[in-house]
Every structure is written in C-alpha cells, then in structure tokens.
Amino acid sequence: TLREQALAEVRQAIIVGRFASGVLLSEQAIAEQLQISRTPVREALLQLRAEGLVEFLPNRGVRVVEPSAEHLAYVFQFRAAIEGYCAKILARHPARDEIVAELEAELDEQRRIIAADDHVSWVVANMRFHLSIVKRAGNQLMIETVQNLASHTMRIGYQINERARDRRMQSVNEHAAIVEAIRTGQ
C-alpha cells in the first residue's frame, strides 16, 4: 500500500541518517518526494511516532527523535533477553542441525561483507542474523517486537559501524559463539 511504501521509505531514511536526528520533516515535502498524497505519509509518520523515531511538533512539522543512551540501553537489554530465550529454544529444537547450517551461511555472508568493507550491508546482515534467531523460535509476538526495535539498533549501527571496522568482526565472533552454543545444545 502507499502507507507501507511511505513507512518503509521514511523509516529507511531515518535509519541510514538521510533524515538526521533533530531534522524537521514536512508531510507535504515527503508526499511530493514520494509522489503520493499526504494521507499515507501522515499514517506512516504516526506509526513512526509509535515506534519512537519521530515526534510531532504543533505548527512546525515532525522532528526526527535523537536516540537517548538510556533508551538504547533498554532496547539492547530487551533484545538480549528475547534473543537469549530464543537461542535456548533453538538449542533444543528438533531441526537444530538445519538451523545451525542456515545461521552459519549468514555468518559466511557477514564475513564477505566485512571483507568488502560494506558497512551499509553489514548493518542489514547483522540485524538479519538477530531476527533469524527470533523468527526461527516461532513466537510471533517476539518477532513483531524485535522487528519494531530493529530500527533503533540499526540506526545506531549505521553511525557506529561506519567508524568502527573492528567492531564488525567482533560481532561476527559473538554471532559464531551463539551459533556454537545452539549447535552444542547449550
């Protein structure tokens, strides 16, 4: 739908920093850029407000929210709890070998991305790995929640990983340890 198109476009612009923190956005300007009416843009912005990415300023427009350190800490703690639980489920899953093979393929892709020094693709691959663990555990509420939080962590990932090449490889090593724990049933 047009709403989903507007939501995906504006969310992506915020995540990658094309719409930086503090920037005022205009519904009309976004609608013109996307060549759609203002209604789906407004609906998309309302969804982004619910996700904590934008705030409405009366008579001024919509501002991209600056992520606070406290909020990001809460997001990472929450994700760690959900992902840890899901990894435990996968460690006991009857199709554990198949799951491990799929996760190892994702690790190989992450290594290729790092070798190519493609920090943009890295952020997407990193989040895909984390979402894969949650999705394979099969709890729809957890999947939706982690997907909603993905924008916050990917946003900071684009900022950090552009400057911290070593952190990407450290993340792959951490991911490999998760896969090994699933493989061994721990």
Side-chain angles (χ1 to χ4, degrees):
T1 65
L2 293 176
R3 176 199 172 278
E4 291 167 343
Q5 176 192 347
L7 180 61
E9 293 280 340
V10 176
R11 181 187 286 131
Q12 185 67 10
I14 292 170
I15 290 171
V16 300
R18 283 194 316 268
F19 293 161
S21 297
V23 166
L24 282 174
L25 305 175
S26 156
E27 288 178 25
Q28 184 63 39
I30 294 169
E32 289 172 6
Q33 180 182 359
L34 298 177
Q35 299 179 350
I36 60 176
S37 69
R38 285 180 62 179
T39 300
V41 170
R42 177 135 181 99
E43 291 171 354
L45 291 171
L46 288 169
Q47 174 64 38
L48 294 171
R49 179 181 67 183
E51 293 176 17
L53 293 173
V54 300
E55 61 185 349
F56 284 79
L57 302 175
N59 302 318
R60 295 189 58 211
V62 178
R63 181 173 52 204
V64 177
V65 174
E66 173 74 38
S68 73
E70 181 181 47
H71 176 74
L72 288 172
Y74 291 155
V75 168
F76 281 110
Q77 290 168 2
F78 187 77
R79 277 191 40 215
I82 288 177
E83 291 173 26
Y85 174 77
C86 290
K88 286 180 185 178
I89 289 172
L90 298 181
R92 297 183 201 108
H93 198 283
R96 183 174 67 203
D97 292 340
E98 179 183 321
I99 292 166
V100 166
E102 291 168 359
L103 292 172
E104 285 179 335
E106 290 186 34
L107 291 176
D108 290 341
E109 177 63 16
Q110 290 176 6
R111 290 181 186 106
R112 280 192 292 277
I113 289 168
I114 291 170
D117 198 25
D118 183 353
H119 75 274
V120 172
S121 295
W122 161 254
V123 174
V124 174
N126 179 51
M127 185 51 62
R128 186 173 49 242
F129 176 84
H130 290 279
L131 281 170
S132 291
I133 290 172
V134 177
K135 286 179 178 178
R136 285 178 173 94
N139 181 313
Q140 192 59 39
L141 182 59
M142 288 182 181
I143 294 167
E144 290 170 7
T145 303
V146 171
Q147 284 175 326
N148 286 339
L149 295 174
S151 297
H152 296 278
T153 52
M154 288 177 71
R155 185 175 176 198
I156 202 72
Y158 278 107
Q159 295 170 10
I160 291 171
N161 284 309
E162 186 171 294
R163 298 178 303 236
R165 177 184 280 184
D166 292 342
R167 177 63 191 126
R168 288 178 250 164
M169 198 59 216
Q170 183 182 351
S171 290
V172 171
N173 292 336
E174 292 165 358
H175 296 168
I178 292 167
V179 173
E180 186 59 27
I182 293 170
R183 177 196 326 281
T184 60
Q186 298 179 3

